[in-house]
Amino acid sequence: MKRIRRYIQSDIDINSTNRKFYLVAFSVFTAFVFLNFFEPFGLYYEGSITKEDVFIELFIAMTLAFVVLLLSQFVVRVLFKLNSFTIVSLFLWFLLEAVFVASVWFVFEVLEKDFTGNIITVWFENLLAYLLIMFPPYFLFVSYIHIKDVIKNLENENSTHKSIEKIVPDITLKDENEIVKLVLKTQNLLFIQAADNYVEVNFLENGVLSKSLLRNSIKKLEPTFMDTPIIRCHRSFIVNTNNIELAKKTSSGFSLKLIQTSELTIPVSKSYISEFNKFTTKP
């Protein structure tokens, strides 16, 4: 019930000129085609009227409906400043349009023929005919607009979310008291080196090598970099494998040179070679 209530209370955007015109044109054209090709309501079963006569009458009736609906959407709505609809309020507006169209059809029927029927009965028959004929195409188009807008909004939300993800930094470094001390993008981190009770974070800031001391340990920081190219390579070093410029084999493992570092080399000890190879060896 909540979903149904939420749906019928959702906003429908049919304010643009194109949408209002297409709503009217699609509803009238679809109804006209349906009536001519599928012959509902016994329209052709009366022997005194030919199919050609029925076609002409339907054409006149649908033309009158088209004109009334255009006036409703482009004149009456403007006069009453009706710029927004929910499903419920649009249905009520549809009923109001049905009353107007049925009244026009009734007047045309009275003027065209020798009218002998009951006024209320004939008018009500016109109203019922309009509701049965126009409701399906009218709200089919409205549903199409609604679904189209929902999909577009979801795509915009996903696009916005992805844009935010690009802006939001990837790495948050905290001290031993879990207080955030440094936030930066993954690609800007070069390496982290242990320094007694501190760690020295080496990173790029506006393309220039910068350093920041953090009261923490390499061991406690290591879990921060799960599922990233940043790995522990030595008991005293964590390195960003994406920023390795040169890796040289040594007797104890590897010696690394990173971008934006001149002569400083980062050691990779034998105990971390296996993990190091996962990130540096292409499959």
Side-chain angles (χ1 to χ4, degrees):
M1 289 298 294
K2 289 182 179 180
R3 290 184 178 180
I4 295 175
R5 190 181 302 112
R6 188 164 54 246
Y7 173 73
I8 64 176
Q9 291 177 349
S10 58
D11 293 328
I12 300 296
D13 180 13
I14 49 172
N15 296 325
S16 69
T17 301
N18 285 342
R19 287 191 171 186
K20 289 190 286 188
F21 179 79
Y22 289 144
L23 171 63
V24 174
F26 177 82
S27 300
V28 172
F29 177 77
T30 304
F32 180 70
V33 171
F34 174 77
L35 290 172
N36 277 282
F37 282 88
F38 294 94
E39 307 175 12
F41 316 125
L43 286 172
Y44 298 164
Y45 301 154
E46 186 179 341
S48 62
I49 186 171
T50 65
K51 290 187 176 183
E52 290 74 15
D53 291 333
V54 171
F55 179 87
I56 293 172
E57 285 194 11
L58 288 176
F59 180 79
I60 294 172
M62 290 297 101
T63 300
L64 291 173
F66 182 74
V67 173
V68 173
L69 291 178
L70 285 179
L71 292 173
S72 167
Q73 292 293 329
F74 288 94
V75 178
V76 180
R77 279 185 59 183
V78 174
L79 291 176
F80 287 94
K81 298 180 179 179
L82 297 173
N83 297 320
S84 61
F85 285 109
T86 62
I87 297 292
V88 174
S89 61
L90 183 62
F91 177 74
L92 296 175
W93 183 255
F94 170 77
L95 292 179
L96 186 61
E97 289 178 328
V99 170
F100 282 117
V101 174
S103 300
V104 172
W105 282 353
F106 171 75
V107 171
F108 181 79
E109 190 171 348
V110 171
L111 295 176
E112 183 192 31
K113 304 174 182 178
D114 295 329
F115 186 78
T116 56
N118 182 277
I119 293 177
I120 297 177
T121 301
V122 174
W123 181 86
F124 184 77
E125 287 176 352
N126 282 322
L127 176 64
L128 183 61
Y130 179 87
L131 294 175
L132 292 173
I133 293 168
M134 298 296 289
F135 182 86
Y138 194 99
F139 282 93
L140 179 63
F141 184 83
V142 169
S143 298
Y144 164 75
I145 290 296
H146 180 63
I147 293 172
K148 182 180 178 181
D149 287 344
V150 168
I151 293 174
K152 185 177 180 180
N153 289 335
L154 288 174
E155 289 176 347
N156 290 338
E157 287 178 7
N158 290 335
S159 177
T160 302
H161 181 67
K162 289 179 180 178
S163 298
I164 292 174
E165 283 183 340
K166 291 179 181 179
I167 296 171
V168 174
D170 301 309
I171 299 174
T172 300
L173 298 177
K174 303 176 182 179
D175 65 12
E176 59 185 7
N177 296 318
E178 293 298 309
I179 298 174
V180 175
K181 293 295 184 178
L182 187 63
V183 180
L184 66 157
K185 298 293 288 182
T186 300
Q187 64 267 26
N188 289 337
L189 179 65
L190 296 176
F191 68 94
I192 300 174
Q193 182 178 4
D196 295 327
N197 295 327
Y198 292 82
V199 293
E200 182 184 85
V201 183
N202 290 259
F203 59 96
L204 296 178
E205 185 175 8
N206 297 323
V208 179
L209 179 62
S210 300
K211 299 179 182 181
S212 180
L213 278 179
L214 224 68
R215 189 174 180 86
N216 210 330
S217 67
I218 290 285
K219 185 176 181 179
K220 287 184 179 179
L221 283 179
E222 192 174 356
T224 305
F225 306 111
M226 289 183 63
D227 301 320
T228 73
I230 302 167
I231 63 170
R232 181 92 173 262
C233 64
H234 187 274
R235 66 179 182 179
S236 299
F237 286 91
I238 289 176
V239 67
N240 188 345
T241 57
N242 282 349
N243 288 329
I244 296 174
E245 192 174 68
L246 176 66
K248 187 176 181 181
K249 189 73 173 70
T250 64
S251 57
S252 58
F254 281 93
S255 179
L256 308 177
K257 182 181 182 300
L258 306 181
I259 61 172
Q260 296 294 332
T261 60
S262 54
E263 298 178 358
L264 179 64
T265 56
I266 309 298
V268 179
S269 60
K270 289 183 178 180
S271 56
Y272 292 99
I273 286 180
S274 177
E275 185 69 16
F276 174 74
N277 284 336
K278 291 179 183 179
F279 288 88
T280 57
T281 304
K282 293 182 180 180

mmCIF file of all heavy atoms in Angstrom, residues 12-13 19 21 26 99 125 265 268:
data_model
loop_
_atom_site.group_PDB
_atom_site.id
_atom_site.type_symbol
_atom_site.label_atom_id
_atom_site.label_comp_id
_atom_site.label_asym_id
_atom_site.label_seq_id
_atom_site.Cartn_x
_atom_site.Cartn_y
_atom_site.Cartn_z
ATOM 1 N N ILE A 12 4.454 14.332 -11.745
ATOM 2 C CA ILE A 12 4.524 14.070 -13.177
ATOM 3 C C ILE A 12 4.855 15.374 -13.888
ATOM 4 O O ILE A 12 4.152 16.372 -13.730
ATOM 5 C CB ILE A 12 3.186 13.520 -13.721
ATOM 6 C CG1 ILE A 12 2.830 12.206 -13.028
ATOM 7 C CG2 ILE A 12 3.258 13.315 -15.224
ATOM 8 C CD1 ILE A 12 3.789 11.082 -13.295
ATOM 9 N N ASP A 13 5.908 15.357 -14.662
ATOM 10 C CA ASP A 13 6.347 16.560 -15.360
ATOM 11 C C ASP A 13 5.788 16.584 -16.784
ATOM 12 O O ASP A 13 6.334 15.952 -17.682
ATOM 13 C CB ASP A 13 7.879 16.620 -15.383
ATOM 14 C CG ASP A 13 8.386 17.863 -16.105
ATOM 15 O OD1 ASP A 13 7.572 18.769 -16.363
ATOM 16 O OD2 ASP A 13 9.597 17.918 -16.418
ATOM 17 N N ARG A 19 5.791 18.077 -24.389
ATOM 18 C CA ARG A 19 5.122 16.999 -23.651
ATOM 19 C C ARG A 19 3.611 17.169 -23.650
ATOM 20 O O ARG A 19 2.868 16.194 -23.782
ATOM 21 C CB ARG A 19 5.660 16.917 -22.226
ATOM 22 C CG ARG A 19 7.059 16.337 -22.163
ATOM 23 C CD ARG A 19 7.481 16.003 -20.750
ATOM 24 N NE ARG A 19 8.732 15.266 -20.748
ATOM 25 C CZ ARG A 19 9.292 14.737 -19.665
ATOM 26 N NH1 ARG A 19 8.706 14.873 -18.479
ATOM 27 N NH2 ARG A 19 10.426 14.068 -19.749
ATOM 28 N N PHE A 21 1.797 18.727 -25.947
ATOM 29 C CA PHE A 21 1.294 18.456 -27.295
ATOM 30 C C PHE A 21 1.318 16.966 -27.601
ATOM 31 O O PHE A 21 0.348 16.420 -28.145
ATOM 32 C CB PHE A 21 2.127 19.217 -28.331
ATOM 33 C CG PHE A 21 1.685 18.960 -29.746
ATOM 34 C CD1 PHE A 21 0.569 19.607 -30.265
ATOM 35 C CD2 PHE A 21 2.359 18.048 -30.554
ATOM 36 C CE1 PHE A 21 0.147 19.367 -31.575
ATOM 37 C CE2 PHE A 21 1.946 17.802 -31.850
ATOM 38 C CZ PHE A 21 0.831 18.462 -32.361
ATOM 39 N N PHE A 26 -0.830 11.952 -29.030
ATOM 40 C CA PHE A 26 -0.743 10.493 -28.874
ATOM 41 C C PHE A 26 -2.078 9.909 -28.421
ATOM 42 O O PHE A 26 -2.524 8.880 -28.948
ATOM 43 C CB PHE A 26 0.348 10.141 -27.857
ATOM 44 C CG PHE A 26 0.460 8.670 -27.566
ATOM 45 C CD1 PHE A 26 1.167 7.834 -28.422
ATOM 46 C CD2 PHE A 26 -0.155 8.117 -26.446
ATOM 47 C CE1 PHE A 26 1.258 6.476 -28.163
ATOM 48 C CE2 PHE A 26 -0.060 6.758 -26.186
ATOM 49 C CZ PHE A 26 0.657 5.933 -27.046
ATOM 50 N N VAL A 99 -15.284 15.679 -18.971
ATOM 51 C CA VAL A 99 -16.566 16.396 -18.872
ATOM 52 C C VAL A 99 -16.693 17.418 -19.997
ATOM 53 O O VAL A 99 -17.747 17.521 -20.649
ATOM 54 C CB VAL A 99 -16.693 17.079 -17.492
ATOM 55 C CG1 VAL A 99 -17.904 18.017 -17.474
ATOM 56 C CG2 VAL A 99 -16.808 16.039 -16.390
ATOM 57 N N GLU A 125 -23.558 8.977 -21.816
ATOM 58 C CA GLU A 125 -22.985 8.003 -22.760
ATOM 59 C C GLU A 125 -21.728 8.569 -23.428
ATOM 60 O O GLU A 125 -20.744 7.861 -23.643
ATOM 61 C CB GLU A 125 -24.025 7.625 -23.815
ATOM 62 C CG GLU A 125 -25.122 6.722 -23.280
ATOM 63 C CD GLU A 125 -26.185 6.446 -24.325
ATOM 64 O OE1 GLU A 125 -26.136 7.086 -25.421
ATOM 65 O OE2 GLU A 125 -27.067 5.607 -24.068
ATOM 66 N N THR A 265 66.182 5.291 -1.874
ATOM 67 C CA THR A 265 65.680 3.998 -2.329
ATOM 68 C C THR A 265 64.883 3.337 -1.210
ATOM 69 O O THR A 265 65.221 3.432 -0.035
ATOM 70 C CB THR A 265 66.836 3.071 -2.746
ATOM 71 O OG1 THR A 265 67.746 2.936 -1.642
ATOM 72 C CG2 THR A 265 67.547 3.617 -3.961
ATOM 73 N N VAL A 268 62.835 -3.609 -0.360
ATOM 74 C CA VAL A 268 61.835 -4.675 -0.308
ATOM 75 C C VAL A 268 62.545 -5.892 0.248
ATOM 76 O O VAL A 268 63.420 -6.467 -0.398
ATOM 77 C CB VAL A 268 61.259 -4.983 -1.704
ATOM 78 C CG1 VAL A 268 60.232 -6.115 -1.607
ATOM 79 C CG2 VAL A 268 60.626 -3.745 -2.330
#
